[in-house]
Amino acid sequence: MKKKYVVKEKLEFNKIIKNGKKIQNEIFIIFCQDNKNNFSRFGIAVSKKLGNAVIRNKIKRRIRNIIDNNKFLFKKNKNYIIMIKRSVASFDYNILNEKLIELIKKEKK
């Protein structure tokens, strides 16, 4: 994922979380808000309670891969913050992929 597609700043994260639309399932919480760009941007949040840095980075890499493989499902002109719940540790990649796609399709409605 290129840098221009990433939400990094804490203020921007908080703004999207506070003012954005929220959808969730047993693994993810997604906040989305309109932006003025012609592309969607993503932020991934993983709690330190989930595990050490190696585990958190592994989960973020998987989520980024799922996003890259399914970019066509996300609406343009939106910022997305994807928060990962603790239950993610018990799921493999295919289930993560399924659940995230399911949630994004739900958001599109």
Side-chain angles (χ1 to χ4, degrees), residues 12-23 29-34 78-81 107:
E12 202 170 2
F13 252 79
N14 292 338
K15 181 181 161 194
I16 295 167
I17 290 169
K18 184 178 178 184
N19 302 325
K21 179 184 168 192
K22 176 183 174 181
I23 52 173
I29 302 171
I30 298 180
F31 296 91
C32 53
Q33 184 182 39
D34 294 334
K78 286 226 181 228
N79 290 331
Y80 294 93
I81 300 296
E107 185 268 328

Side-chain angles (χ1 to χ4, degrees), residues 60-75:
K60 286 191 277 187
R61 279 194 310 271
R62 286 181 174 184
I63 300 306
R64 275 191 231 109
N65 189 4
I66 293 169
I67 291 169
D68 285 341
N69 291 339
N70 299 293
K71 271 219 166 150
F72 61 93
L73 292 175
F74 293 92
K75 290 182 183 177

Side-chain angles (χ1 to χ4, degrees), residues 73-90:
L73 292 175
F74 293 92
K75 290 182 183 177
K76 296 198 184 311
N77 303 337
K78 286 226 181 228
N79 290 331
Y80 294 93
I81 300 296
I82 301 171
M83 296 178 101
I84 291 109
K85 294 182 180 179
R86 268 186 161 174
S87 62
V88 74
S90 60

Side-chain angles (χ1 to χ4, degrees), residues 23 72-73 100-109:
I23 52 173
F72 61 93
L73 292 175
L100 187 59
I101 289 171
E102 176 185 302
L103 205 54
I104 292 303
K105 286 182 179 176
K106 188 172 155 184
E107 185 268 328
K108 277 184 134 180
K109 291 181 183 178

